[in-house]
Amino acid sequence: MLELDSVTAGYDRRAPVFHGASLTVAPGESVGLLGPSGCGKSTLARVAALLHRPDAGRLVLDGTEVRAWRHRAPRAQRTAVGVVFQQPRTAADPRLTLAELIAEPLRATGRRAEAADRVAVLAPAVGLTPDLLGRRPHEVSDGQLQRACLARALTLRPRWLICDEMTAMLDASTTAALVAAVETYRTEAGAGLLAVGHDRVLLNRWCDRTVDWKDCLAAAPGPNLTRMAAPPYARTDRAFRHTVRRTPQFRCGDGGT
């Protein structure tokens, strides 16, 4: 279980971004966290990914309470979580090729020898062709770079995956391909997913259940964690389903995404 219990966090202890947020994700479950921009959901995602220490509350990961964050956290906890951020340009080292970017977690954990084989498996799974792997971030599109960032998040075979508005800057076909790649990995690995976003249609189509940010703050774990009603945006919903059906191979399009 990934459990956030009454978490208060921010970047100034005198003025936290939010107070008392609670959320749980079961193994193999996909949970969407829906809220407007600037509400604090990305900060909560960073806490869940062990990237930001909360001011109060608890994070329990696989039955063990987390007591250290970032590089101070035990390696077993750090590598249990994979993260995909909203803006691939700021999340990628511009000096690395896409192949090096995907293999970066293996180098950081002393497993460089596994890099070539792991990149060979992950690149086609996220829709990256061999000719793209030797390019650097400024030589590819946002969609291609986000594909590499997703592959990097999957490199260490995490048990938990956190996607923080992963598709907010991408077109519909790339969004569908990345969602399909995540779901394929979840099916094979039994990983849990926390998908953060503000697109109600996408989260309701993607996740097992969706949590409204306001309900997350209201705090009681049972009734708050309910699936939202179907959205009224039928046209957008139909378009998204059509795109998912049309992109089973995750191939890069001619437009570079």
Side-chain angles (χ1 to χ4, degrees):
M1 185 74 74
L2 171 64
E3 181 179 2
L4 295 134
D5 182 22
S6 300
V7 171
T8 296
Y11 306 95
D12 182 347
R13 294 185 68 89
R14 296 168 297 180
V17 175
F18 58 83
H19 295 268
S22 297
L23 182 68
T24 60
V25 184
E29 182 184 29
S30 58
V31 177
L33 179 58
L34 176 70
S37 297
C39 67
K41 59 188 186 298
S42 291
T43 300
L44 185 67
R46 288 178 60 84
V47 172
L50 279 68
L51 296 176
H52 186 77
R53 177 185 289 275
D55 299 330
R58 298 190 315 145
L59 169 61
V60 180
L61 186 64
D62 294 325
T64 302
E65 184 173 350
V66 175
R67 299 188 181 278
W69 271 259
R70 299 180 69 85
H71 61 279
R72 294 185 177 86
R75 177 175 291 182
Q77 290 185 333
R78 294 199 313 267
T79 57
V81 183
V83 189
V84 187
F85 299 98
Q86 176 180 355
Q87 298 181 353
R89 299 290 170 192
T90 59
D93 187 334
R95 300 169 296 179
L96 302 181
T97 64
L98 296 194
E100 292 169 338
L101 180 69
I102 296 170
E104 188 177 11
L106 291 171
R107 296 197 306 271
T109 53
R111 298 158 59 183
R112 187 185 298 267
E114 303 175 34
D117 291 341
R118 194 69 179 131
V119 171
V121 170
L122 287 172
V126 299
L128 289 174
T129 54
D131 61 297
L132 295 173
L133 296 178
R135 300 183 189 180
R136 289 181 168 79
H138 70 278
E139 298 174 315
V140 298
S141 68
D142 285 347
Q144 291 165 340
L145 185 56
Q146 191 67 305
R147 291 172 189 263
C149 288
L150 173 58
R152 177 181 61 182
L154 302 179
T155 297
L156 297 180
R157 300 177 177 87
R159 296 188 301 277
W160 305 97
L161 188 61
I162 297 176
C163 298
D164 184 11
E165 303 201 41
M166 174 182 75
T167 62
M169 302 175 62
L170 307 179
D171 60 38
S173 63
T174 306
T175 294
L178 291 180
V179 169
V182 169
E183 289 306 294
T184 297
Y185 175 77
R186 288 185 56 243
T187 300
E188 295 174 350
L193 167 70
L194 175 61
V196 177
H198 50 73
D199 186 334
R200 184 186 300 267
V201 174
L202 174 61
L203 291 182
N204 277 346
R205 291 292 305 168
W206 183 2
C207 300
D208 297 329
R209 58 188 173 90
T210 303
V211 181
D212 189 280
W213 175 248
K214 294 179 293 184
D215 292 338
C216 181
L217 291 178
N224 295 323
L225 306 183
T226 56
R227 185 175 179 83
M228 292 185 168
Y233 313 115
R235 180 180 301 177
T236 304
D237 194 18
R238 287 196 301 271
F240 178 75
R241 283 182 288 164
H242 176 71
T243 307
V244 171
R245 290 197 300 268
R246 292 289 299 277
T247 56
Q249 302 295 325
F250 325 138
R251 294 179 180 175
C252 297
D254 296 336
T257 57

PDB file of all heavy atoms in Angstrom, residues 10-44:
ATOM      1  N   GLY A  10       4.588  22.118   1.968  1.00  0.00           N
ATOM      2  CA  GLY A  10       4.745  23.368   1.237  1.00  0.00           C
ATOM      3  C   GLY A  10       6.221  23.696   1.155  1.00  0.00           C
ATOM      4  O   GLY A  10       7.083  22.846   1.402  1.00  0.00           O
ATOM      5  N   TYR A  11       6.502  24.946   0.850  1.00  0.00           N
ATOM      6  CA  TYR A  11       7.883  25.372   0.680  1.00  0.00           C
ATOM      7  C   TYR A  11       8.250  26.473   1.668  1.00  0.00           C
ATOM      8  O   TYR A  11       9.354  27.014   1.613  1.00  0.00           O
ATOM      9  CB  TYR A  11       8.089  25.824  -0.772  1.00  0.00           C
ATOM     10  CG  TYR A  11       7.665  24.742  -1.726  1.00  0.00           C
ATOM     11  CD1 TYR A  11       6.380  24.729  -2.275  1.00  0.00           C
ATOM     12  CD2 TYR A  11       8.512  23.686  -2.037  1.00  0.00           C
ATOM     13  CE1 TYR A  11       5.970  23.706  -3.123  1.00  0.00           C
ATOM     14  CE2 TYR A  11       8.108  22.658  -2.882  1.00  0.00           C
ATOM     15  CZ  TYR A  11       6.840  22.672  -3.415  1.00  0.00           C
ATOM     16  OH  TYR A  11       6.432  21.654  -4.237  1.00  0.00           O
ATOM     17  N   ASP A  12       7.326  26.773   2.556  1.00  0.00           N
ATOM     18  CA  ASP A  12       7.534  27.711   3.661  1.00  0.00           C
ATOM     19  C   ASP A  12       6.700  27.189   4.825  1.00  0.00           C
ATOM     20  O   ASP A  12       5.474  27.136   4.734  1.00  0.00           O
ATOM     21  CB  ASP A  12       7.089  29.123   3.257  1.00  0.00           C
ATOM     22  CG  ASP A  12       7.341  30.162   4.359  1.00  0.00           C
ATOM     23  OD1 ASP A  12       7.631  29.763   5.508  1.00  0.00           O
ATOM     24  OD2 ASP A  12       7.245  31.359   4.057  1.00  0.00           O
ATOM     25  N   ARG A  13       7.352  26.785   5.895  1.00  0.00           N
ATOM     26  CA  ARG A  13       6.631  26.172   7.013  1.00  0.00           C
ATOM     27  C   ARG A  13       5.576  27.107   7.600  1.00  0.00           C
ATOM     28  O   ARG A  13       4.609  26.669   8.212  1.00  0.00           O
ATOM     29  CB  ARG A  13       7.609  25.743   8.106  1.00  0.00           C
ATOM     30  CG  ARG A  13       8.553  24.630   7.683  1.00  0.00           C
ATOM     31  CD  ARG A  13       9.402  24.169   8.850  1.00  0.00           C
ATOM     32  NE  ARG A  13       8.610  23.496   9.859  1.00  0.00           N
ATOM     33  CZ  ARG A  13       8.360  22.202   9.875  1.00  0.00           C
ATOM     34  NH1 ARG A  13       8.836  21.418   8.916  1.00  0.00           N
ATOM     35  NH2 ARG A  13       7.639  21.660  10.846  1.00  0.00           N
ATOM     36  N   ARG A  14       5.752  28.400   7.410  1.00  0.00           N
ATOM     37  CA  ARG A  14       4.781  29.356   7.944  1.00  0.00           C
ATOM     38  C   ARG A  14       3.540  29.457   7.058  1.00  0.00           C
ATOM     39  O   ARG A  14       2.505  29.973   7.496  1.00  0.00           O
ATOM     40  CB  ARG A  14       5.432  30.734   8.088  1.00  0.00           C
ATOM     41  CG  ARG A  14       6.589  30.776   9.091  1.00  0.00           C
ATOM     42  CD  ARG A  14       7.376  32.061   8.978  1.00  0.00           C
ATOM     43  NE  ARG A  14       8.003  32.173   7.658  1.00  0.00           N
ATOM     44  CZ  ARG A  14       8.755  33.196   7.281  1.00  0.00           C
ATOM     45  NH1 ARG A  14       8.963  34.218   8.110  1.00  0.00           N
ATOM     46  NH2 ARG A  14       9.304  33.223   6.069  1.00  0.00           N
ATOM     47  N   ALA A  15       3.660  28.985   5.823  1.00  0.00           N
ATOM     48  CA  ALA A  15       2.524  29.067   4.896  1.00  0.00           C
ATOM     49  C   ALA A  15       2.491  27.830   4.012  1.00  0.00           C
ATOM     50  O   ALA A  15       2.873  27.875   2.837  1.00  0.00           O
ATOM     51  CB  ALA A  15       2.626  30.333   4.041  1.00  0.00           C
ATOM     52  N   PRO A  16       2.057  26.665   4.536  1.00  0.00           N
ATOM     53  CA  PRO A  16       2.006  25.429   3.741  1.00  0.00           C
ATOM     54  C   PRO A  16       1.083  25.569   2.534  1.00  0.00           C
ATOM     55  O   PRO A  16       0.124  26.344   2.549  1.00  0.00           O
ATOM     56  CB  PRO A  16       1.462  24.397   4.739  1.00  0.00           C
ATOM     57  CG  PRO A  16       1.718  24.978   6.087  1.00  0.00           C
ATOM     58  CD  PRO A  16       1.604  26.459   5.920  1.00  0.00           C
ATOM     59  N   VAL A  17       1.374  24.791   1.523  1.00  0.00           N
ATOM     60  CA  VAL A  17       0.534  24.779   0.325  1.00  0.00           C
ATOM     61  C   VAL A  17      -0.810  24.135   0.623  1.00  0.00           C
ATOM     62  O   VAL A  17      -1.847  24.559   0.109  1.00  0.00           O
ATOM     63  CB  VAL A  17       1.255  24.036  -0.814  1.00  0.00           C
ATOM     64  CG1 VAL A  17       0.345  23.899  -2.036  1.00  0.00           C
ATOM     65  CG2 VAL A  17       2.536  24.768  -1.194  1.00  0.00           C
ATOM     66  N   PHE A  18      -0.812  23.082   1.459  1.00  0.00           N
ATOM     67  CA  PHE A  18      -2.057  22.415   1.837  1.00  0.00           C
ATOM     68  C   PHE A  18      -1.898  21.801   3.219  1.00  0.00           C
ATOM     69  O   PHE A  18      -0.785  21.608   3.716  1.00  0.00           O
ATOM     70  CB  PHE A  18      -2.447  21.342   0.809  1.00  0.00           C
ATOM     71  CG  PHE A  18      -1.409  20.277   0.615  1.00  0.00           C
ATOM     72  CD1 PHE A  18      -1.313  19.189   1.480  1.00  0.00           C
ATOM     73  CD2 PHE A  18      -0.513  20.350  -0.440  1.00  0.00           C
ATOM     74  CE1 PHE A  18      -0.349  18.203   1.306  1.00  0.00           C
ATOM     75  CE2 PHE A  18       0.453  19.370  -0.620  1.00  0.00           C
ATOM     76  CZ  PHE A  18       0.520  18.300   0.261  1.00  0.00           C
ATOM     77  N   HIS A  19      -3.036  21.487   3.854  1.00  0.00           N
ATOM     78  CA  HIS A  19      -3.067  20.906   5.195  1.00  0.00           C
ATOM     79  C   HIS A  19      -3.845  19.586   5.169  1.00  0.00           C
ATOM     80  O   HIS A  19      -4.910  19.499   4.561  1.00  0.00           O
ATOM     81  CB  HIS A  19      -3.756  21.844   6.187  1.00  0.00           C
ATOM     82  CG  HIS A  19      -3.029  23.135   6.415  1.00  0.00           C
ATOM     83  ND1 HIS A  19      -2.105  23.327   7.415  1.00  0.00           N
ATOM     84  CD2 HIS A  19      -3.098  24.320   5.750  1.00  0.00           C
ATOM     85  CE1 HIS A  19      -1.644  24.560   7.370  1.00  0.00           C
ATOM     86  NE2 HIS A  19      -2.226  25.187   6.364  1.00  0.00           N
ATOM     87  N   GLY A  20      -3.321  18.578   5.825  1.00  0.00           N
ATOM     88  CA  GLY A  20      -4.079  17.365   6.120  1.00  0.00           C
ATOM     89  C   GLY A  20      -4.583  16.579   4.937  1.00  0.00           C
ATOM     90  O   GLY A  20      -5.726  16.111   4.945  1.00  0.00           O
ATOM     91  N   ALA A  21      -3.765  16.374   3.917  1.00  0.00           N
ATOM     92  CA  ALA A  21      -4.187  15.594   2.754  1.00  0.00           C
ATOM     93  C   ALA A  21      -3.968  14.108   3.009  1.00  0.00           C
ATOM     94  O   ALA A  21      -2.912  13.700   3.500  1.00  0.00           O
ATOM     95  CB  ALA A  21      -3.415  16.028   1.517  1.00  0.00           C
ATOM     96  N   SER A  22      -4.956  13.287   2.662  1.00  0.00           N
ATOM     97  CA  SER A  22      -4.856  11.843   2.839  1.00  0.00           C
ATOM     98  C   SER A  22      -5.239  11.144   1.537  1.00  0.00           C
ATOM     99  O   SER A  22      -6.187  11.545   0.856  1.00  0.00           O
ATOM    100  CB  SER A  22      -5.778  11.365   3.968  1.00  0.00           C
ATOM    101  OG  SER A  22      -5.389  11.920   5.208  1.00  0.00           O
ATOM    102  N   LEU A  23      -4.498  10.093   1.210  1.00  0.00           N
ATOM    103  CA  LEU A  23      -4.717   9.388  -0.044  1.00  0.00           C
ATOM    104  C   LEU A  23      -4.085   8.001   0.061  1.00  0.00           C
ATOM    105  O   LEU A  23      -3.033   7.842   0.679  1.00  0.00           O
ATOM    106  CB  LEU A  23      -4.065  10.162  -1.198  1.00  0.00           C
ATOM    107  CG  LEU A  23      -4.219   9.606  -2.613  1.00  0.00           C
ATOM    108  CD1 LEU A  23      -5.661   9.709  -3.071  1.00  0.00           C
ATOM    109  CD2 LEU A  23      -3.310  10.356  -3.574  1.00  0.00           C
ATOM    110  N   THR A  24      -4.723   7.003  -0.524  1.00  0.00           N
ATOM    111  CA  THR A  24      -4.145   5.663  -0.552  1.00  0.00           C
ATOM    112  C   THR A  24      -4.213   5.088  -1.956  1.00  0.00           C
ATOM    113  O   THR A  24      -5.147   5.367  -2.719  1.00  0.00           O
ATOM    114  CB  THR A  24      -4.877   4.699   0.412  1.00  0.00           C
ATOM    115  OG1 THR A  24      -6.258   4.611   0.023  1.00  0.00           O
ATOM    116  CG2 THR A  24      -4.779   5.176   1.845  1.00  0.00           C
ATOM    117  N   VAL A  25      -3.213   4.285  -2.298  1.00  0.00           N
ATOM    118  CA  VAL A  25      -3.178   3.556  -3.563  1.00  0.00           C
ATOM    119  C   VAL A  25      -2.805   2.119  -3.229  1.00  0.00           C
ATOM    120  O   VAL A  25      -1.781   1.867  -2.590  1.00  0.00           O
ATOM    121  CB  VAL A  25      -2.145   4.140  -4.540  1.00  0.00           C
ATOM    122  CG1 VAL A  25      -2.213   3.403  -5.878  1.00  0.00           C
ATOM    123  CG2 VAL A  25      -2.365   5.637  -4.740  1.00  0.00           C
ATOM    124  N   ALA A  26      -3.632   1.182  -3.646  1.00  0.00           N
ATOM    125  CA  ALA A  26      -3.367  -0.231  -3.384  1.00  0.00           C
ATOM    126  C   ALA A  26      -2.458  -0.806  -4.463  1.00  0.00           C
ATOM    127  O   ALA A  26      -2.379  -0.263  -5.573  1.00  0.00           O
ATOM    128  CB  ALA A  26      -4.681  -1.008  -3.338  1.00  0.00           C
ATOM    129  N   PRO A  27      -1.753  -1.884  -4.180  1.00  0.00           N
ATOM    130  CA  PRO A  27      -0.909  -2.517  -5.199  1.00  0.00           C
ATOM    131  C   PRO A  27      -1.717  -2.884  -6.438  1.00  0.00           C
ATOM    132  O   PRO A  27      -2.798  -3.457  -6.346  1.00  0.00           O
ATOM    133  CB  PRO A  27      -0.389  -3.778  -4.485  1.00  0.00           C
ATOM    134  CG  PRO A  27      -0.431  -3.419  -3.036  1.00  0.00           C
ATOM    135  CD  PRO A  27      -1.644  -2.558  -2.870  1.00  0.00           C
ATOM    136  N   GLY A  28      -1.221  -2.499  -7.592  1.00  0.00           N
ATOM    137  CA  GLY A  28      -1.899  -2.801  -8.845  1.00  0.00           C
ATOM    138  C   GLY A  28      -3.044  -1.878  -9.180  1.00  0.00           C
ATOM    139  O   GLY A  28      -3.642  -2.001 -10.248  1.00  0.00           O
ATOM    140  N   GLU A  29      -3.360  -0.931  -8.310  1.00  0.00           N
ATOM    141  CA  GLU A  29      -4.482  -0.023  -8.526  1.00  0.00           C
ATOM    142  C   GLU A  29      -4.014   1.247  -9.215  1.00  0.00           C
ATOM    143  O   GLU A  29      -2.895   1.717  -9.004  1.00  0.00           O
ATOM    144  CB  GLU A  29      -5.122   0.333  -7.189  1.00  0.00           C
ATOM    145  CG  GLU A  29      -6.344   1.241  -7.297  1.00  0.00           C
ATOM    146  CD  GLU A  29      -6.898   1.642  -5.946  1.00  0.00           C
ATOM    147  OE1 GLU A  29      -6.111   1.714  -4.971  1.00  0.00           O
ATOM    148  OE2 GLU A  29      -8.119   1.897  -5.856  1.00  0.00           O
ATOM    149  N   SER A  30      -4.891   1.836 -10.026  1.00  0.00           N
ATOM    150  CA  SER A  30      -4.609   3.137 -10.641  1.00  0.00           C
ATOM    151  C   SER A  30      -5.580   4.161 -10.075  1.00  0.00           C
ATOM    152  O   SER A  30      -6.792   3.986 -10.159  1.00  0.00           O
ATOM    153  CB  SER A  30      -4.727   3.063 -12.167  1.00  0.00           C
ATOM    154  OG  SER A  30      -6.013   2.632 -12.554  1.00  0.00           O
ATOM    155  N   VAL A  31      -5.028   5.213  -9.487  1.00  0.00           N
ATOM    156  CA  VAL A  31      -5.817   6.259  -8.846  1.00  0.00           C
ATOM    157  C   VAL A  31      -5.503   7.596  -9.506  1.00  0.00           C
ATOM    158  O   VAL A  31      -4.338   7.967  -9.673  1.00  0.00           O
ATOM    159  CB  VAL A  31      -5.505   6.346  -7.340  1.00  0.00           C
ATOM    160  CG1 VAL A  31      -6.274   7.496  -6.697  1.00  0.00           C
ATOM    161  CG2 VAL A  31      -5.846   5.032  -6.653  1.00  0.00           C
ATOM    162  N   GLY A  32      -6.537   8.308  -9.909  1.00  0.00           N
ATOM    163  CA  GLY A  32      -6.369   9.639 -10.474  1.00  0.00           C
ATOM    164  C   GLY A  32      -6.606  10.692  -9.404  1.00  0.00           C
ATOM    165  O   GLY A  32      -7.552  10.582  -8.627  1.00  0.00           O
ATOM    166  N   LEU A  33      -5.749  11.689  -9.358  1.00  0.00           N
ATOM    167  CA  LEU A  33      -5.908  12.821  -8.439  1.00  0.00           C
ATOM    168  C   LEU A  33      -6.226  14.048  -9.273  1.00  0.00           C
ATOM    169  O   LEU A  33      -5.384  14.551 -10.016  1.00  0.00           O
ATOM    170  CB  LEU A  33      -4.637  13.034  -7.620  1.00  0.00           C
ATOM    171  CG  LEU A  33      -4.649  14.202  -6.626  1.00  0.00           C
ATOM    172  CD1 LEU A  33      -5.796  14.059  -5.630  1.00  0.00           C
ATOM    173  CD2 LEU A  33      -3.312  14.298  -5.897  1.00  0.00           C
ATOM    174  N   LEU A  34      -7.462  14.521  -9.174  1.00  0.00           N
ATOM    175  CA  LEU A  34      -7.975  15.590 -10.027  1.00  0.00           C
ATOM    176  C   LEU A  34      -8.068  16.888  -9.255  1.00  0.00           C
ATOM    177  O   LEU A  34      -8.605  16.929  -8.145  1.00  0.00           O
ATOM    178  CB  LEU A  34      -9.354  15.208 -10.551  1.00  0.00           C
ATOM    179  CG  LEU A  34     -10.095  16.244 -11.398  1.00  0.00           C
ATOM    180  CD1 LEU A  34      -9.414  16.409 -12.749  1.00  0.00           C
ATOM    181  CD2 LEU A  34     -11.553  15.814 -11.593  1.00  0.00           C
ATOM    182  N   GLY A  35      -7.546  17.967  -9.850  1.00  0.00           N
ATOM    183  CA  GLY A  35      -7.649  19.265  -9.210  1.00  0.00           C
ATOM    184  C   GLY A  35      -7.165  20.361 -10.131  1.00  0.00           C
ATOM    185  O   GLY A  35      -6.453  20.096 -11.102  1.00  0.00           O
ATOM    186  N   PRO A  36      -7.523  21.618  -9.849  1.00  0.00           N
ATOM    187  CA  PRO A  36      -7.099  22.730 -10.703  1.00  0.00           C
ATOM    188  C   PRO A  36      -5.618  23.029 -10.535  1.00  0.00           C
ATOM    189  O   PRO A  36      -4.985  22.615  -9.557  1.00  0.00           O
ATOM    190  CB  PRO A  36      -7.967  23.898 -10.192  1.00  0.00           C
ATOM    191  CG  PRO A  36      -8.228  23.558  -8.757  1.00  0.00           C
ATOM    192  CD  PRO A  36      -8.365  22.067  -8.719  1.00  0.00           C
ATOM    193  N   SER A  37      -5.070  23.754 -11.485  1.00  0.00           N
ATOM    194  CA  SER A  37      -3.667  24.142 -11.409  1.00  0.00           C
ATOM    195  C   SER A  37      -3.414  25.000 -10.172  1.00  0.00           C
ATOM    196  O   SER A  37      -4.227  25.864  -9.826  1.00  0.00           O
ATOM    197  CB  SER A  37      -3.267  24.929 -12.661  1.00  0.00           C
ATOM    198  OG  SER A  37      -3.401  24.117 -13.817  1.00  0.00           O
ATOM    199  N   GLY A  38      -2.302  24.737  -9.502  1.00  0.00           N
ATOM    200  CA  GLY A  38      -1.906  25.546  -8.356  1.00  0.00           C
ATOM    201  C   GLY A  38      -2.511  25.140  -7.033  1.00  0.00           C
ATOM    202  O   GLY A  38      -2.265  25.796  -6.017  1.00  0.00           O
ATOM    203  N   CYS A  39      -3.274  24.034  -7.005  1.00  0.00           N
ATOM    204  CA  CYS A  39      -3.946  23.668  -5.753  1.00  0.00           C
ATOM    205  C   CYS A  39      -3.025  22.921  -4.789  1.00  0.00           C
ATOM    206  O   CYS A  39      -3.321  22.831  -3.596  1.00  0.00           O
ATOM    207  CB  CYS A  39      -5.189  22.831  -6.044  1.00  0.00           C
ATOM    208  SG  CYS A  39      -4.845  21.195  -6.737  1.00  0.00           S
ATOM    209  N   GLY A  40      -1.937  22.347  -5.293  1.00  0.00           N
ATOM    210  CA  GLY A  40      -1.015  21.630  -4.425  1.00  0.00           C
ATOM    211  C   GLY A  40      -0.892  20.155  -4.719  1.00  0.00           C
ATOM    212  O   GLY A  40      -0.124  19.440  -4.072  1.00  0.00           O
ATOM    213  N   LYS A  41      -1.605  19.660  -5.721  1.00  0.00           N
ATOM    214  CA  LYS A  41      -1.573  18.220  -5.994  1.00  0.00           C
ATOM    215  C   LYS A  41      -0.196  17.748  -6.449  1.00  0.00           C
ATOM    216  O   LYS A  41       0.215  16.630  -6.136  1.00  0.00           O
ATOM    217  CB  LYS A  41      -2.646  17.839  -7.010  1.00  0.00           C
ATOM    218  CG  LYS A  41      -2.556  18.532  -8.355  1.00  0.00           C
ATOM    219  CD  LYS A  41      -3.768  18.234  -9.201  1.00  0.00           C
ATOM    220  CE  LYS A  41      -3.617  18.807 -10.608  1.00  0.00           C
ATOM    221  NZ  LYS A  41      -3.486  20.287 -10.595  1.00  0.00           N
ATOM    222  N   SER A  42       0.536  18.597  -7.169  1.00  0.00           N
ATOM    223  CA  SER A  42       1.888  18.205  -7.589  1.00  0.00           C
ATOM    224  C   SER A  42       2.841  18.135  -6.398  1.00  0.00           C
ATOM    225  O   SER A  42       3.741  17.293  -6.371  1.00  0.00           O
ATOM    226  CB  SER A  42       2.433  19.195  -8.634  1.00  0.00           C
ATOM    227  OG  SER A  42       1.725  19.068  -9.854  1.00  0.00           O
ATOM    228  N   THR A  43       2.635  19.001  -5.420  1.00  0.00           N
ATOM    229  CA  THR A  43       3.450  18.929  -4.211  1.00  0.00           C
ATOM    230  C   THR A  43       3.176  17.639  -3.466  1.00  0.00           C
ATOM    231  O   THR A  43       4.095  16.977  -2.965  1.00  0.00           O
ATOM    232  CB  THR A  43       3.160  20.140  -3.296  1.00  0.00           C
ATOM    233  OG1 THR A  43       3.476  21.353  -4.009  1.00  0.00           O
ATOM    234  CG2 THR A  43       3.998  20.089  -2.027  1.00  0.00           C
ATOM    235  N   LEU A  44       1.905  17.233  -3.404  1.00  0.00           N
ATOM    236  CA  LEU A  44       1.571  15.956  -2.769  1.00  0.00           C
ATOM    237  C   LEU A  44       2.203  14.800  -3.537  1.00  0.00           C
ATOM    238  O   LEU A  44       2.701  13.841  -2.926  1.00  0.00           O
ATOM    239  CB  LEU A  44       0.049  15.779  -2.716  1.00  0.00           C
ATOM    240  CG  LEU A  44      -0.440  14.530  -1.969  1.00  0.00           C
ATOM    241  CD1 LEU A  44      -0.124  14.637  -0.487  1.00  0.00           C
ATOM    242  CD2 LEU A  44      -1.940  14.330  -2.171  1.00  0.00           C
TER     243      LEU A  44
END
